[in-house]
Amino acid sequence: MSVTDQTIQQLKRSIVTGEFEPGQRLPTERELAVRLGVSRNTLREAIRALTLGGILEARQGSGTYVSSLSPGRLLDSFSLLIEASGDATVLDLLAVRRVLEAEAAALAAARITDAQLAELSGCLADIRFHETVAAVAGNPVLEALIQSLGGRALRERVRRSHPGGDAGGHDAIYAAIRDRDPARAAAAMATHIGTVESFLRTARAD
């Protein structure tokens, strides 16, 4: 393990143990380098890596802080992975999205309120449909994962291969959620995303 990697692990450990808490400002670069026993250049590289990963954030003129460590922030790097990945990896990501969104649909069917159902019915032809289902599921980590895997970068990859987008098929999912049928909702969501996967596989083969 390189010195930079060791420094990254040390900083992560300090956050996990509560030495540095979410929202807390880190010591100055000089102080922290001395505390960790590394050069300032090594420390900068480690901080840069943790900032890209959403764990730290640099505030102009103020210093470096531990981020909120919210699921959404920590998963922001997924969009970069999607943008930089080849079609094979995008298909793998869609397969993961299919599993997660099927579970979210099942949870939504079991938990949705009348007010949430009305909101869902208003975005049947919109990408917000998936985001709303994920929010209704009631699990912040699951919601963040789905938002990361269904973000703008992946939607753009889908749009290029499937100009009709992935809004088709929402009616069946909505009907199952409306009927409070978790098993049917999960199956409808899995089928819906599976259709998008098929379009991408076909486009890749062409």
Side-chain angles (χ1 to χ4, degrees), residues 86-104:
D87 289 342
T89 300
V90 170
L91 283 168
D92 289 339
L93 289 168
L94 270 174
V96 173
R97 178 183 163 192
R98 172 164 38 86
V99 173
L100 294 176
E101 292 216 45
E103 175 64 16

Side-chain angles (χ1 to χ4, degrees), residues 24-135:
Q24 180 178 340
R25 184 182 183 277
L26 296 184
T28 65
E29 185 180 277
R30 181 176 180 179
E31 292 173 323
L32 196 53
V34 170
R35 182 186 300 191
L36 298 176
V38 298
S39 71
R40 293 172 73 169
N41 282 338
T42 295
L43 179 62
R44 288 187 195 114
E45 290 178 13
I47 288 176
R48 187 178 301 113
L50 291 173
T51 300
L52 288 172
I55 296 173
L56 299 178
E57 59 180 64
R59 300 180 188 174
Q60 187 68 31
S62 179
T64 302
Y65 291 75
V66 179
S67 77
S68 64
L69 301 180
S70 65
R73 178 163 181 84
L74 295 178
L75 290 168
D76 277 346
S77 55
F78 260 128
S79 61
L80 177 60
L81 172 64
I82 293 168
E83 289 173 3
S85 296
D87 289 342
T89 300
V90 170
L91 283 168
D92 289 339
L93 289 168
L94 270 174
V96 173
R97 178 183 163 192
R98 172 164 38 86
V99 173
L100 294 176
E101 292 216 45
E103 175 64 16
L107 290 171
R111 299 176 178 179
I112 198 163
T113 65
D114 289 342
Q116 290 169 329
L117 191 62
E119 180 183 358
L120 191 62
S121 70
C123 57
L124 284 173
D126 195 312
I127 188 60
R128 288 188 303 117
F129 180 84
H130 288 268
E131 295 172 354
T132 303
V133 170

